[in-house]
Amino acid sequence: MPESTARPSSLIHTVYGEFVRRLGGWISIADLIALMAELDVDAPAVRSAISRLKKAGTLLQERRTGTGYRLSPAMAPVFDEGDRRIFHSLEPAELADGWVVAVFSVPESERAHRHQLRSRLSWLGFGNAAPGVWLAPARLLPDARRLLERLGLSAYVHLFLSAEYAGFADLRTAVASWWDLPAIEAQYAAFTGAWRPIAEELRGRGRTDPAEAFRDYVPMLTQWRRLPYLDPGLPEPLLPAGWNAVPARAVFTEVHGRLAEPSLRYVEKVTGLSHPLELP
């Protein structure tokens, strides 16, 4: 397993999103600590991360056979959206599909909302074309609408669909200034460098030990799940030559296909939970 630099809260987020949701949405703190020990996260770090997730409204404490935590109902649409992005990340858009443009103006007295709008649009994959003007491939419009409505920010934003670019600058040059494409490529390269050797090793294995699968799969998924948000799926003619998202997606697909199921079996064994729900 490559050395993980993920925070304990990010690893716990992955465990809940990928496994606990499928097993009823609740896990005891004792079982969570046991699972996180496999990822070299000790009990105090787990409890500290759980406290932060509880304070953020991600988790709710609930006593069943012991003290544990379940996902807040408010997190359901967040994880559903994550499934669409993480496991069904799209190929590059077509230029003919057009763009969604987000224009916002926030009073100075509410500048915290301005910062939130910038950070959330960036998180969705929008590029910043000018102050208060953000854009992305048109297919991101549904995600943008859902996010802005969920966060109560829709009153500040106007959304437009534009069929084509009709400006003066070279569009490829402009796009390179609106998105930090080298930074995105660097993260794809880091992912591929870390997990391609694991994919190659898995090809030579027979049956994968569930505990070993879990130890590899959770850090891999944690590292990957940010990338489909950073990458807006720009049309291929606008991308740098040799855009390295393609090999990175291939590595993710292969490792996911080999390790997801045995990892789930391991979580079932540790927790005693079963009857997983079918999720994407």
Side-chain angles (χ1 to χ4, degrees), residues 198-216:
I198 301 297
E200 293 170 350
E201 180 187 337
L202 288 169
R203 291 174 205 153
R205 289 186 194 172
R207 179 171 176 161
T208 302
D209 174 72
E212 187 175 354
F214 178 83
R215 287 192 293 269
D216 281 338

Side-chain angles (χ1 to χ4, degrees), residues 258-275:
R258 292 179 181 273
L259 297 185
E261 195 275 333
S263 296
L264 179 59
R265 291 204 314 269
Y266 179 71
V267 174
E268 289 178 310
K269 178 182 177 182
V270 170
T271 63
L273 302 171
S274 59
H275 306 295

Side-chain angles (χ1 to χ4, degrees), residues 47-126:
R47 294 185 186 277
S48 177
I50 285 289
S51 178
R52 289 193 297 273
L53 291 169
K54 181 182 175 182
K55 185 177 181 180
T58 301
L59 300 178
L60 300 175
Q61 188 172 342
E62 182 177 292
R63 187 170 183 83
R64 296 188 184 177
T65 54
T67 300
Y69 293 85
R70 66 178 175 88
L71 282 171
S72 165
M75 294 303 297
V78 177
F79 279 104
D80 289 344
E81 179 183 290
D83 285 340
R84 288 190 293 272
R85 279 291 187 98
I86 294 164
F87 299 108
H88 306 289
S89 54
L90 301 174
E91 295 300 317
E94 298 292 332
L95 272 172
D97 296 340
W99 305 88
V100 54
V101 180
V103 180
F104 64 82
S105 178
V106 180
E108 182 61 25
S109 60
E110 301 178 58
R111 57 183 177 271
H113 286 147
R114 186 186 307 136
H115 172 74
Q116 191 178 19
L117 276 165
R118 290 169 179 161
S119 64
R120 301 314 284 177
L121 288 171
S122 177
W123 180 79
L124 271 181
F126 276 66

Side-chain angles (χ1 to χ4, degrees), residues 240-262:
W243 181 242
N244 60 359
V246 176
R249 286 193 194 104
V251 169
F252 168 75
T253 300
E254 182 171 2
V255 177
H256 168 70
R258 292 179 181 273
L259 297 185
E261 195 275 333

Side-chain angles (χ1 to χ4, degrees), residues 11-28 31-32 35-36 50 59 64 68-72 79 214 218 263-264 267-268 271 273-277 279:
L11 296 168
I12 291 172
H13 190 282
T14 298
V15 168
Y16 268 88
E18 178 66 4
F19 306 115
V20 179
R21 272 198 308 159
R22 291 167 164 79
L23 301 169
W26 178 92
I27 186 174
S28 74
D31 287 344
L32 182 60
L35 289 172
M36 296 299 291
I50 285 289
L59 300 178
R64 296 188 184 177
Y69 293 85
R70 66 178 175 88
L71 282 171
S72 165
F79 279 104
F214 178 83
V218 174
S263 296
L264 179 59
V267 174
E268 289 178 310
T271 63
L273 302 171
S274 59
H275 306 295
L277 302 174
L279 295 173

Side-chain angles (χ1 to χ4, degrees), residues 95 99 135 164-165 168-178 238:
L95 272 172
W99 305 88
L135 78 162
E164 61 182 286
Y165 176 73
F168 300 98
D170 174 70
L171 181 55
R172 183 169 180 168
T173 302
V175 160
S177 70
W178 298 339
L238 305 180

